[in-house]
């Protein structure tokens, strides 16, 4: 294994980059924020990371105390990776980076399930959610998630609700992302078969207004136009 690079700088930010600044490291953290995963699950979430590079990042993050590896009991008996408590403290770091970079975010053809869920946890506006009280079930690429909005607070975790206000199902996460962030009409997404909606449609419409994107960054060319 190649020796780990070091900035040899006493700044805490430099030390943070020593720990999680290598390519793919923070995306590994992103993939584990919603719960433990097997190596094959991480490969699915990070398809452009080679197995060797992914293995190296996992070893480095484990050595740094950001994640740990454990074996599930029978009948699963498989190894999973999960964030330590210290590793989970990186979520607000990733959220801040996400909000900052969203101002120049290029249009993307693909977004993973975990990325989409974490983007909702990042872009949620507590101010716009005051007075909203809804529980919405999401099923994204066959993975169930519970979104709860109560008095300006928002949570979204893996799980199922017995009686949600509404249920949104999308086989392709990009379908929900297009409605939520790109202004794709909800009616068109439903009629085109991109997603299905059952239950209280008004609850979903209320939810759509709670995740505003930041003002796009104006490039020098745009400022001079």
């Amino acid at each position: 294994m190649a020796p780990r690079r070091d900035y040899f700088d006493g700044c805490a930010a430099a030390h943070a980059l020593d720990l999680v600044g290598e390519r793919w490291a923070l995306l590994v953290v992103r993939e584990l924020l919603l719960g433990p995963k097997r190596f094959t699950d991480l490969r699915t979430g990070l398809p452009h990371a080679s197995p060797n590079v992914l293995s190296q990042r996992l070893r480095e993050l484990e050595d740094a105390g950001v994640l740990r590896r454990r074996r599930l009991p029978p009948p699963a008996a498989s190894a999973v990776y999960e964030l330590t408590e210290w590793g989970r403290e990186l979520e607000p770091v990733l959220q801040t980076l996400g909000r900052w970079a969203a101002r120049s975010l290029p249009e993307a053809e693909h977004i993973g399930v975990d990325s989409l869920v974490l983007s909702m946890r990042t872009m949620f506006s507590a101010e716009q959610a005051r007075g909203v009280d809804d529980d919405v079930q999401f099923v994204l690429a066959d993975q169930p998630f519970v979104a709860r909005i109560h008095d300006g607070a928002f949570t979204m975790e893996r799980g199922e609700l017995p009686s949600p206000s509404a249920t949104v199902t999308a086989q392709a996460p990009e379908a929900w992302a297009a409605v939520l962030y790109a202004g794709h009409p909800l009616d068109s997404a439903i009629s085109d078969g991109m997603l299905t909606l059952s239950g209280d449609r008004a609850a979903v419409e209320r939810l759509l207004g709670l995740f505003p994107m930041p003002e796009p960054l104006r490039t020098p060319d745009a400022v001079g136009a």
Side-chain angles (χ1 to χ4, degrees), residues 79-92:
V80 295
Y81 296 89
E82 62 185 2
L83 294 176
T84 62
E85 183 176 350
W86 190 47
R88 288 193 294 272
E89 291 178 14
L90 283 166
E91 180 168 2

Side-chain angles (χ1 to χ4, degrees), residues 26-46:
L26 277 177
L27 294 187
V28 170
V29 172
R30 181 199 70 190
E31 289 298 306
L32 295 175
L33 280 170
L34 298 179
K37 287 187 175 182
R38 299 169 301 171
F39 185 83
T40 52
D41 299 323
L42 290 167
R43 287 278 292 131
T44 299
L46 301 169

Side-chain angles (χ1 to χ4, degrees), residues 63-215:
D63 289 344
V66 174
L67 60 79
R68 58 178 161 251
R69 183 176 181 268
R70 66 180 173 89
R71 184 163 291 278
L72 297 175
S78 58
V80 295
Y81 296 89
E82 62 185 2
L83 294 176
T84 62
E85 183 176 350
W86 190 47
R88 288 193 294 272
E89 291 178 14
L90 283 166
E91 180 168 2
V93 176
L94 282 167
Q95 289 177 328
T96 299
L97 280 172
R99 282 190 292 266
W100 175 75
R103 295 190 62 200
S104 69
L105 191 66
E107 186 172 343
E109 296 181 358
H110 171 75
I111 185 170
V113 173
D114 288 41
S115 298
L116 178 55
V117 172
L118 291 169
S119 78
M120 292 176 66
R121 288 175 21 170
T122 297
M123 304 311 298
F124 173 74
S125 171
E127 182 177 350
Q128 297 189 39
R130 290 178 182 173
V132 177
D133 190 5
D134 290 310
D135 294 332
V136 178
Q137 177 78 60
F138 284 88
V139 182
L140 304 170
D142 298 324
Q143 300 181 45
F145 292 89
V146 175
R148 290 187 170 92
I149 308 102
H150 296 290
D151 295 328
F154 174 74
T155 61
M156 191 165 183
E157 307 284 351
R158 296 187 189 276
E160 298 184 56
L161 279 170
S163 54
S165 303
T167 298
V168 175
T169 302
Q171 190 57 40
E174 296 84 0
W176 175 244
V179 173
L180 185 63
Y181 296 128
H184 188 89
L186 181 60
D187 283 336
S188 296
I190 295 171
S191 62
D192 292 344
M194 295 170 59
L195 57 82
T196 62
L197 190 161
S198 60
D200 184 4
R201 179 192 173 103
V204 176
E205 292 175 339
R206 285 191 293 271
L207 185 144
L208 287 174
L210 306 182
F211 305 88
M213 291 291 284
E215 188 72 22

